[in-house]
Amino acid sequence: MKLKIHTQILMAVLLGILTGYLLGEHAKHLQIVGDLFIRLLKMIIIPLIFATMVSGVVSTGQFGRLGRIGAQTFTYYLITTVLAITVGLVLVNIIAPGIGANPLTEQVFSPTDHQPPTVTSILYDIVPANIFKAMAQGDVLPVIFFSLLLGAALLGVRDKAEPVIVFFKGFDAVMMKLTDWIMRLAPIGVFALIAVMVSRLNKDDIFALAKYMLTVIAGLAVHACIVLPILLRIFAKRNPLTFFRQMFNALVTAFSTDSSAATLPVSMECLEQNAKLPERITSFVMPIGATVNMDGTALYEAVAVMFIAQAYGVEMTFANQVVIALTATLASIGAAAIPSAGLITMVIVLRAVNLPLEGIGMILAVDRILDMCRTTVNVWGDACGAAIIAKLDEKN
Ligand code: ASP
């Protein structure tokens, strides 16, 4: 059954590319199909995170274990994000895609319309004043925060809270079933999303920015196909190819939806059903990972900012590049797990090294396609993290 969905999704991607190419702008009529698929996925994100995180925290069994898993998870996020940025910076310095590119002087991108998050606003975003409002608005971070606290409180109360614990376990199983059903529609949704994307590709933009795109894609490829698999092999003792196959549906969903959040239900399903990771790990690592751990976005932001600096002829010293690395880490953490979020938080990095914000206008045209690639790497990074943390947890 699983294999069948794999094959269907692969065919959907190929058929989507062909249809988008043949239909040209008429492919826009397929937009509604893709949108409905994304809406279905989004529909279950909040209840899924709520159910799965509460029952996940409870199944860790003790505060100590929860704390250890948390510390390992955040260490993994930080190390892999820094590794991704390093790969990006090395490549962008070697390839230098921005040298000779035309810097943009007119303002196509207005930063005032896209205010990037500040540290205070991120903190306010994490701690909800009203959890029901946060849920209604689909805000993931406060829901994660509340679910963690609720799970911990259930652990604290234990026996008296038994009925509530049983409820959350059942609720969680039901949400996974719903995800399973929605996944059966994935071939149709993926087909429509890819067809619309292909029909909108503009050859001129791609040629003009080919070197920049290749640098980002090469960086993402090195991180996803070399760095993360090495970590997976060493720390999770898993075969990267097999794990890739197990995560395939989630990776294609990430590629076609541009959103780690929308992909979350599918990633959780792949990890639990195909890779057989314990739920107490996936339910903790994945929702937080989808929201804060974005290796692809961090790498992309570092490369894009260096590209803009090169195009404007501004030299970036080693110290400047360290600032880029630090702020790109923050910007990737602050980026929401939705399409184009990385493009907006890049303002933080540009400001930190005093580069013109108009520079973002130079790369807007090809952002969609790079967003697909970086979102796939974001999800792959979260998945590898879940496998590694699960292995480390086994040893304890
Ligand atoms: N679309 C990305 C994600 O959801 C975020 C970004 O724009 O880089 O992971």
Side-chain angles (χ1 to χ4, degrees):
M1 179 63 206
K2 294 287 163 226
L3 257 185
K4 226 171 116 211
I5 287 216
H6 267 72
T7 330
Q8 284 174 6
I9 291 194
L10 194 61
M11 281 171 59
V13 173
L14 299 177
L15 217 65
I17 296 176
L18 194 70
T19 312
Y21 181 70
L22 294 177
L23 285 187
E25 69 163 276
H26 297 294
K28 67 172 186 263
H29 299 297
L30 288 169
Q31 180 83 40
I32 181 173
V33 180
D35 283 349
L36 282 175
F37 175 57
I38 295 186
R39 287 176 83 94
L40 280 175
L41 286 170
K42 281 190 175 165
M43 176 184 84
I44 54 170
I45 296 172
I46 295 294
L48 177 77
I49 292 182
F50 188 42
T52 203
M53 282 199 88
V54 174
S55 73
V57 170
V58 173
S59 46
T60 53
Q62 329 129 5
F63 288 121
R65 191 176 198 185
L66 184 63
R68 197 179 46 239
I69 297 176
Q72 287 167 341
T73 306
F74 282 101
T75 311
Y76 169 86
Y77 291 163
L78 209 61
I79 292 178
T80 49
T81 301
V82 172
L83 284 174
I85 294 178
T86 312
V87 169
L89 285 177
V90 168
L91 284 181
V92 78
N93 277 294
I94 298 174
I95 305 176
I99 307 280
N102 275 342
L104 203 76
T105 40
E106 88 228 58
Q107 192 162 334
V108 214
F109 174 86
S110 162
T112 41
D113 295 345
H114 303 89
Q115 278 306 332
T118 60
V119 175
T120 325
S121 75
I122 292 175
L123 284 179
Y124 281 174
D125 284 350
I126 294 177
V127 184
N130 179 342
I131 186 61
F132 295 106
K133 191 168 161 212
M135 285 185 174
Q137 288 174 337
D139 295 339
V140 175
L141 274 179
V143 175
I144 290 180
F145 181 76
F146 180 72
S147 310
L148 281 176
L149 281 185
L150 190 66
L154 288 177
L155 263 184
V157 175
R158 279 184 207 261
D159 293 350
K160 259 198 188 160
E162 200 48 43
V164 187
I165 295 177
V166 172
F167 165 77
F168 272 102
K169 296 222 150 118
F171 185 21
D172 182 27
V174 172
M175 290 317 296
M176 288 319 278
K177 187 72 191 169
L178 221 51
T179 306
D180 196 38
W181 286 345
I182 294 175
M183 251 342 260
R184 295 187 193 194
L185 299 173
I188 304 171
V190 165
F191 158 76
L193 288 166
I194 300 260
V196 174
M197 187 279 292
V198 168
S199 72
R200 289 199 179 140
L201 285 182
N202 182 331
K203 267 198 260 87
D204 297 341
D205 291 333
I206 293 184
F207 280 129
L209 290 164
K211 218 168 159 193
Y212 157 70
M213 290 178 72
L214 280 180
T215 313
V216 176
I217 292 172
L220 292 175
V222 170
H223 189 68
C225 306
I226 301 177
V227 178
L228 290 175
I230 291 178
L231 296 180
L232 190 71
R233 185 91 241 185
I234 298 178
F235 296 105
K237 311 258 179 305
R238 278 184 184 253
N239 178 334
L241 267 183
T242 314
F243 191 59
F244 170 79
R245 243 178 276 128
Q246 291 164 337
M247 290 306 299
F248 184 76
N249 292 352
L251 298 174
V252 176
T253 309
F255 185 74
S256 50
T257 61
D258 268 358
S259 166
S260 309
T263 310
L264 188 61
V266 191
S267 327
M268 308 259 303
E269 197 198 51
C270 289
L271 285 171
E272 286 166 29
Q273 314 284 329
N274 305 351
K276 307 282 177 231
L277 289 190
E279 203 207 336
R280 65 169 187 281
I281 302 294
T282 55
S283 63
F284 184 77
V285 179
M286 291 310 281
I288 302 184
T291 325
V292 304
N293 180 44
M294 299 194 184
D295 297 359
T297 302
L299 184 151
Y300 150 83
E301 293 197 0
V303 173
V305 168
M306 285 295 289
F307 169 78
I308 292 170
Q310 290 166 352
Y312 282 86
V314 183
E315 204 210 326
M316 286 286 123
T317 60
F318 182 73
N320 289 140
Q321 297 197 30
V322 172
V323 174
I324 291 182
L326 290 176
T327 46
T329 306
L330 283 182
S332 72
I333 294 174
I338 54 171
S340 291
L343 189 75
I344 294 159
T345 59
M346 196 195 299
V347 170
I348 300 176
V349 191
L350 287 172
R351 280 208 182 118
V353 285
N354 287 325
L355 283 170
L357 302 186
E358 295 87 76
I360 294 185
M362 293 178 66
I363 50 173
L364 271 183
V366 292
D367 188 62
R368 170 75 216 255
I369 190 151
L370 293 181
D371 197 2
M372 299 169 85
C373 304
R374 64 185 189 252
T375 307
T376 312
V377 176
N378 289 345
V379 171
W380 177 234
D382 296 339
C384 292
I388 291 174
I389 307 297
K391 190 73 187 175
L392 296 179
D393 187 59
E394 249 174 42
K395 291 186 190 149
N396 291 299

